[in-house]
Amino acid sequence: MIDVLVVDDDFRVAEINAKYVGKVPGFRVAARAHSATQALAAVERGAIDLVLLDHYLPDQTGLELVHRMREEGHGSDVIMITAAGDVTTVQKAMRLGALHYLVKPFTFTALRSRLDSYAALRRTVDRVGGRGLTGQEQVDRIFGALRTAPAPSSPGLPSGHSEPTTDLICGVLHRADHPLSAHEVAAETGLSRSTAQRYLRHLEQAGRLRLSLKYGDTGRPEHRYAWVAP
């Protein structure tokens, strides 16, 4: 599980963001904070993997908090979630190492896309690091894992299909560095295998995925799907 610290000076907004995080498989809210002081104390207690950070806090700005965290050696990753959409703040966030920047107001789908790409980054780093691999290809995989899924190319969906679920599956396939089976997509998204298979079939027929077959020693070949770049 990825432990998340939700930081927002508005108690209601913090609660909404925490509920959003709780709906994403693989993530859980470890703590909430409503000021920079509370947030730093939570980070210092340890076990915080990711901070969802507002910029406008009552005692310090979010960026000042990130700067202080780095000075004190805290390595928790940061995704900015704030109404501050000016270029200067965005640039400073990038220079301090924020992995994503989400401008309020936003949808659950938008936040989930960022969390999914963050989870993909962690998996990619673990996989590459565990193999001791080096080189440009591995570096590209790590940086590529942070890309969020592109918007759907067609608004039309069959009956019983939702756009958020379509976006979620597209995001998983877009970030994958190899074709995935319906079982693997289901595991990544938290969907049932049958639901994943239904969406994958539609996306393949729409030309957004490429289907290949993997033959094993026994039984029927396994269907595997790969993202088709637009």
Side-chain angles (χ1 to χ4, degrees):
M1 296 292 289
I2 296 173
D3 288 316
V4 180
L5 169 63
V6 176
V7 184
D8 199 292
D9 68 323
D10 188 317
F11 284 72
R12 182 180 58 86
V13 172
E15 182 63 25
I16 292 172
N17 291 349
K19 288 182 178 179
Y20 278 172
V21 171
K23 292 168 63 176
V24 181
F27 290 82
R28 64 186 174 195
V29 176
R32 298 174 181 82
H34 308 292
S35 68
T37 300
Q38 293 177 358
L40 185 61
V43 170
E44 288 175 341
R45 287 194 293 269
I48 298 296
D49 300 306
L50 175 66
V51 181
L52 300 186
L53 181 60
D54 188 17
H55 181 57
Y56 298 118
L57 300 173
D59 49 351
Q60 279 187 315
T61 67
L63 295 185
E64 287 172 339
L65 172 60
V66 177
H67 182 71
R68 185 173 176 185
M69 286 169 52
R70 299 304 179 236
E71 281 189 329
E72 296 185 8
H74 301 299
S76 301
D77 294 313
V78 174
I79 293 178
M80 299 295 296
I81 298 183
T82 177
D86 60 283
V87 174
T88 299
T89 303
V90 173
Q91 287 180 327
K92 287 181 179 178
M94 292 174 61
R95 289 165 182 160
L96 287 171
L99 298 180
H100 276 301
Y101 197 107
L102 193 57
V103 179
K104 298 176 181 177
F106 58 90
T107 63
F108 168 66
T109 301
L111 176 59
R112 177 162 190 167
S113 176
R114 273 68 177 181
L115 294 180
D116 285 338
S117 69
Y118 174 71
L121 170 66
R122 289 172 62 96
R123 289 192 299 271
T124 301
V125 170
D126 288 344
R127 183 164 59 246
V128 172
R131 296 175 182 174
L133 300 179
T134 60
Q136 189 62 51
E137 181 181 355
Q138 285 69 43
V139 172
D140 289 343
R141 287 183 181 181
I142 292 173
F143 277 85
L146 276 176
R147 297 173 187 154
T148 53
S153 59
S154 173
L157 291 173
S159 176
H161 287 63
S162 73
E163 185 171 331
T165 303
T166 301
D167 289 349
L168 174 62
I169 291 177
C170 286
V172 169
L173 271 298
H174 181 250
R175 293 187 296 271
D177 55 13
H178 60 276
L180 301 178
S181 67
H183 176 77
E184 290 171 322
V185 171
E188 290 280 350
T189 59
L191 301 169
S192 68
R193 187 185 183 282
S194 60
T195 297
Q197 182 65 63
R198 179 159 50 89
Y199 278 79
L200 289 168
R201 188 179 301 113
H202 163 69
L203 290 167
E204 186 268 327
Q205 292 172 351
R208 297 173 65 184
L209 301 180
R210 181 178 65 255
L211 173 65
S212 61
L213 300 178
K214 180 180 179 181
Y215 292 89
D217 295 331
T218 59
R220 294 183 299 176
E222 181 182 52
H223 289 200
R224 302 184 70 82
Y225 299 86
W227 180 255
V228 176

